[in-house]
Amino acid sequence: MFGNSINSLDIIFGIARIWIILFKELWFIWAIAGAFIALGFLAEWWKRRKERKELQQWLKEKHILEEWHKIDPYFFEKLTAFIFERLGYRVKRTGGPGDKGIDLVASKNKHHFYIQCKRVEKVQPKQLRAFYGAITDRLRKGDKGIFVTTGLYTSEDKQFAREKNIQLIDGLELQRIVDSVRRTGKIK
């Protein structure tokens, strides 16, 4: 029995010696791999920084709601995320193909806000119902759904949202939020 434990220790020390030799002999490969990883992180940071500046500049220049209708849906999602970040939320973009009806997940004060972004003239009731279907299993106490559009909501949309505790942000409200954030200096 005592001999088996010595063999186990010999195996462990043997493996450790092999790793030390590999590290000593191949240190330059480890250094190159580390440099590539660092460059990857730096490139991602630079990309996000550039994107934030682009979004900030777009919001600074575009004061007319009609200009919001001209942008592509993916850019609208990025702008909405940027605005919510400026309002103090932590935001994760989930939009795109297969997003299951949720474009952004924002969090603030330990609560989650599931956000759908639609760049349309008028939201159809079926779009709001589909969004509710997408978030209903995820909602916990204090969580909320937020539907953001550049257009308008129907009276049926508004009634449905009141019943299901979904916050609606139409184009005019979105413009007011952007103007408010701009006045506070969070968009320079």
Side-chain angles (χ1 to χ4, degrees):
M1 183 169 182
F2 187 73
N4 287 340
S5 64
I6 292 175
N7 286 336
S8 298
L9 287 175
D10 287 340
I11 291 171
I12 292 170
F13 286 129
I15 292 171
R17 273 187 250 128
I18 290 171
W19 276 105
I20 291 170
I21 291 169
L22 283 175
F23 187 76
K24 280 183 176 179
E25 296 297 322
L26 303 174
W27 66 268
F28 59 92
I29 292 176
W30 293 106
I32 292 170
F36 276 114
I37 291 170
L39 282 174
F41 280 117
L42 183 62
E44 183 63 26
W45 173 82
W46 186 258
K47 177 183 161 191
R48 288 184 185 195
R49 183 175 183 263
K50 183 180 174 191
E51 183 178 271
R52 280 192 303 271
K53 284 188 172 201
E54 177 185 315
L55 293 168
Q56 196 164 359
Q57 186 64 33
W58 194 93
L59 286 171
K60 183 179 177 183
E61 294 172 358
K62 309 299 181 189
H63 299 281
I64 301 170
L65 185 59
E66 288 176 15
E67 294 175 13
W68 288 70
H69 293 286
K70 298 174 187 173
I71 61 176
D72 70 82
Y74 180 70
F75 192 72
F76 180 57
E77 289 175 13
K78 291 191 321 186
L79 278 171
T80 304
F82 183 76
I83 292 164
F84 274 86
E85 286 171 351
R86 295 299 172 260
L87 292 170
Y89 293 83
R90 284 188 28 219
V91 181
K92 178 182 175 192
R93 286 197 311 253
T94 59
D99 66 9
K100 298 182 181 170
I102 300 170
D103 296 322
L104 309 170
V105 178
S107 56
K108 189 175 187 179
N109 301 329
K110 299 181 182 179
H111 295 292
H112 293 88
F113 302 87
Y114 302 98
I115 304 170
Q116 174 69 293
C117 306
K118 287 288 182 201
R119 191 192 47 84
V120 295
E121 293 292 325
K122 186 183 262 187
V123 175
Q124 300 299 314
K126 68 180 180 180
Q127 293 171 309
L128 196 55
R129 290 186 197 315
F131 173 61
Y132 179 70
I135 65 171
T136 192
D137 292 341
R138 299 174 186 225
L139 293 176
R140 305 290 178 257
K141 186 175 183 177
D143 292 351
K144 183 184 257 188
I146 302 174
F147 202 104
V148 181
T149 185
T150 55
L152 301 169
Y153 294 101
T154 65
S155 57
E156 185 180 341
D157 290 335
K158 293 173 185 175
Q159 178 63 33
F160 182 80
R162 271 192 299 278
E163 293 170 2
K164 304 301 182 189
N165 196 26
I166 297 174
Q167 180 181 349
L168 301 179
I169 299 176
D170 64 13
L172 295 174
E173 180 64 20
L174 183 60
Q175 187 65 56
R176 280 192 287 273
I177 292 170
V178 170
D179 290 343
S180 172
V181 170
R182 190 179 288 124
R183 278 192 303 276
T184 63
K186 293 180 181 176
I187 297 176
K188 297 177 177 142

Coordinates of all heavy atoms in Angstrom, one line a residue, residues 4 30 48 59 67 93-94 126 129 136 141 144 147 178:
N4 N 2.4 2.0 -3.4 CA 1.6 2.6 -4.5 C 1.5 4.1 -4.4 O 1.5 4.8 -5.4 CB 0.2 2.0 -4.3 CG 0.1 0.5 -4.8 OD1 1.0 0.1 -5.5 ND2 -0.9 -0.2 -4.4
W30 N 5.6 30.0 -26.2 CA 4.6 30.5 -25.2 C 4.5 32.0 -25.3 O 3.5 32.6 -25.2 CB 5.0 30.1 -23.8 CG 4.9 28.6 -23.5 CD1 5.9 27.7 -23.4 CD2 3.7 27.9 -23.4 NE1 5.4 26.4 -23.3 CE2 4.0 26.5 -23.2 CE3 2.3 28.2 -23.4 CZ2 3.1 25.5 -23.0 CZ3 1.4 27.2 -23.2 CH2 1.8 25.9 -23.0
R48 N -14.2 48.1 -30.4 CA -15.3 48.6 -29.6 C -15.2 50.1 -29.4 O -16.2 50.8 -29.4 CB -15.4 47.9 -28.3 CG -15.9 46.5 -28.4 CD -16.0 45.8 -27.1 NE -16.4 44.4 -27.3 CZ -16.9 43.6 -26.4 NH1 -17.0 44.1 -25.2 NH2 -17.2 42.4 -26.7
L59 N -25.1 60.1 -33.3 CA -26.1 60.6 -32.5 C -25.9 62.2 -32.3 O -26.9 62.9 -32.2 CB -26.1 60.0 -31.1 CG -26.7 58.6 -31.1 CD1 -26.5 58.0 -29.7 CD2 -28.2 58.6 -31.4
E67 N -34.2 60.7 -40.0 CA -32.9 60.1 -40.3 C -32.8 58.7 -39.7 O -32.0 57.8 -40.2 CB -31.8 61.0 -39.9 CG -31.8 62.3 -40.7 CD -30.7 63.3 -40.2 OE1 -29.9 62.9 -39.3 OE2 -30.8 64.4 -40.6
R93 N -25.7 42.8 -26.6 CA -26.4 42.7 -27.9 C -26.6 41.2 -28.2 O -25.6 40.4 -28.2 CB -25.7 43.4 -29.0 CG -25.8 44.9 -28.9 CD -25.5 45.6 -30.2 NE -24.2 45.1 -30.8 CZ -23.1 45.8 -30.8 NH1 -23.1 47.0 -30.3 NH2 -22.0 45.4 -31.4
T94 N -27.8 40.8 -28.5 CA -28.1 39.4 -28.8 C -28.8 39.3 -30.2 O -29.1 38.3 -30.6 CB -29.0 38.7 -27.8 OG1 -30.2 39.5 -27.7 CG2 -28.3 38.7 -26.4
K126 N -49.0 41.9 -33.9 CA -48.4 40.6 -33.9 C -46.9 40.7 -33.5 O -46.3 39.7 -32.9 CB -48.6 39.9 -35.2 CG -47.8 40.5 -36.4 CD -48.1 39.7 -37.7 CE -47.3 40.4 -38.8 NZ -47.6 39.7 -40.0
R129 N -46.8 41.0 -29.7 CA -47.2 39.7 -29.1 C -46.1 38.7 -29.2 O -45.8 37.9 -28.3 CB -48.5 39.1 -29.8 CG -49.7 39.9 -29.5 CD -50.9 39.2 -30.1 NE -52.1 40.0 -30.2 CZ -52.7 40.8 -29.3 NH1 -52.1 41.0 -28.2 NH2 -53.8 41.4 -29.6
T136 N -41.6 36.0 -22.0 CA -42.4 35.6 -20.9 C -41.8 34.6 -20.0 O -42.0 34.6 -18.8 CB -43.8 35.1 -21.4 OG1 -44.7 35.0 -20.3 CG2 -43.7 33.8 -22.2
K141 N -39.3 38.7 -11.0 CA -39.8 39.9 -10.3 C -38.8 41.1 -10.5 O -37.6 41.0 -10.3 CB -39.9 39.6 -8.8 CG -40.5 40.7 -8.0 CD -40.7 40.3 -6.6 CE -41.4 41.5 -5.9 NZ -41.7 41.2 -4.5
K144 N -38.3 43.4 -16.9 CA -39.3 44.1 -17.8 C -38.9 43.9 -19.2 O -37.7 43.8 -19.6 CB -39.3 45.6 -17.4 CG -40.3 46.4 -18.2 CD -40.1 47.9 -17.8 CE -41.2 48.3 -16.9 NZ -41.3 49.7 -16.6
F147 N -39.9 47.6 -25.7 CA -40.0 47.6 -27.1 C -39.7 49.0 -27.7 O -40.4 49.9 -27.3 CB -41.4 47.1 -27.5 CG -41.5 46.6 -28.9 CD1 -41.7 45.2 -29.1 CD2 -41.5 47.4 -30.0 CE1 -41.8 44.7 -30.4 CE2 -41.6 46.9 -31.3 CZ -41.7 45.5 -31.5
V178 N -32.8 60.7 -26.3 CA -31.5 61.1 -26.9 C -31.2 62.5 -26.6 O -30.1 62.8 -26.2 CB -31.5 60.8 -28.4 CG1 -30.2 61.4 -29.1 CG2 -31.5 59.3 -28.7

